Amino acid sequence: MSRLFRALSEAGALTLLSVRALRVLLTRPFELRLGLLQMERIGLGSFGVAGITTLFTGMVLALQTAFSLPGLGVKYYIGTVVGKSLTRELGPVLTALIVGGRVGAGIAAEIGSMKVTEQIDALRSMAADPVRKLVAPRLAACLLMIPVLTLYGDLLGIFGGMLVAVTQLDLEAAFYLTDVMDSLRIADVASGLGKSFVFAYFIAIVACHRGLTVQGGADGVGRATTETVVTTSILVLISDFFLTKLFYVLG
């Protein structure tokens, strides 16, 4: 019963924080400078890890597909397999798990450190709203940059599949790219970006909430970062199932 009560309490707190942050994002004044700073940290700082993850995922996917069914001519459809798998599923999920772990832990640690050193209380004493100064810029940056990172990862993953198709499977690059372009639909890319938008919301809100509710000094900050990574990973994987069903129903 206590776990159920704690889970419901957490869900309520996350909902309230979401409402407050979205209300701040829709009202002036905009904290544009803080938002741009967070976009640089969250977006530009994650291009490397997102690129490496999806590039090698595309390469492994191409290799496994071709070598698992060698007698069925599957290698001629490598572009279809890699393109659809990455844009619909692997690109948004892997980007959210890898980048979200890095970004979420960083946000929780930063805000949590401000909480235990009473910097957030100092903000309130100066009549500054912590949600406007801390939560809203990070939420906006995640909502904008994680879909961008997902699209970037999709392209690198498809490029990785092409490298394997050309060097390992003796396919022409033009043949592979034509297969990718012929198989992909706007709905494939749109569903992947839609998922990444939802994942970004979970990452930002959970990380900010954990940071703002840290207790117990440095140990509490450590627990908050760990809980953020675990919680966001679970939310990403569970929501991915329902979003996949939803997007297939919508077409």
Side-chain angles (χ1 to χ4, degrees):
M1 183 63 76
S2 61
R3 287 187 178 181
L4 177 61
F5 178 77
R6 192 162 58 244
L8 292 175
S9 177
E10 285 280 308
L14 288 171
T15 303
L16 288 176
L17 183 60
S18 302
V19 171
R20 292 178 62 193
L22 291 174
R23 186 183 299 162
V24 167
L25 283 177
L26 298 175
T27 57
R28 294 184 178 182
F30 302 117
E31 296 290 349
L32 184 60
R33 186 183 63 80
L34 294 176
L36 292 175
L37 177 63
Q38 292 303 321
M39 287 173 65
E40 180 186 1
R41 289 180 178 175
I42 293 170
L44 297 182
S46 302
F47 268 88
V49 66
I52 291 172
T53 301
T54 49
L55 174 68
F56 281 92
T57 298
M59 295 173 70
V60 169
L61 188 60
L63 211 56
Q64 283 287 3
T65 303
F67 288 170
S68 297
L69 301 168
L72 300 179
V74 176
K75 75 174 188 178
Y76 297 109
Y77 300 98
I78 290 296
T80 300
V81 174
V82 173
K84 282 193 174 289
S85 300
L86 278 168
T87 54
R88 272 194 171 269
E89 195 62 37
L90 294 176
V93 171
L94 289 177
T95 301
L97 291 176
I98 302 299
V99 175
R102 171 187 177 275
V103 169
I107 291 173
E110 185 181 12
I111 296 179
S113 298
M114 295 177 71
K115 174 77 184 307
V116 299
T117 55
E118 300 182 348
Q119 293 180 58
I120 293 179
D121 292 335
L123 278 176
R124 290 196 179 96
S125 69
M126 293 186 292
D129 182 5
V131 174
R132 183 177 293 280
K133 295 288 184 184
L134 301 176
V135 179
R138 287 163 176 79
L139 175 61
C142 284
L143 291 176
L144 288 172
M145 295 309 298
I146 290 183
V148 171
L149 288 166
T150 299
L151 191 59
Y152 162 75
D154 290 344
L155 294 174
L156 271 185
I158 291 171
F159 175 73
M162 186 182 74
L163 289 179
V164 170
V166 172
T167 60
Q168 303 291 317
L169 307 176
D170 298 325
L171 293 177
E172 296 286 340
F175 177 87
Y176 172 86
L177 291 175
T178 300
D179 188 26
V180 171
M181 297 303 294
D182 287 345
S183 63
L184 280 184
R185 299 290 180 266
I186 293 176
D188 298 326
V189 180
S191 66
L193 293 180
K195 286 181 178 180
S196 68
F197 195 77
V198 176
F199 298 159
Y201 160 77
F202 284 138
I203 291 165
I205 286 298
V206 170
C208 290
H209 172 66
R210 295 291 187 195
L212 288 171
T213 55
V214 159
Q215 292 181 336
D219 289 342
V221 175
R223 284 195 301 273
T225 56
T226 303
E227 289 171 358
T228 296
V229 175
V230 173
T231 305
T232 55
S233 298
I234 291 172
L235 286 175
V236 165
L237 294 173
I238 292 175
S239 63
D240 179 53
F241 171 76
F242 294 103
L243 289 171
T244 298
K245 292 194 71 171
L246 174 66
F247 284 126
Y248 270 112
V249 169
L250 295 177

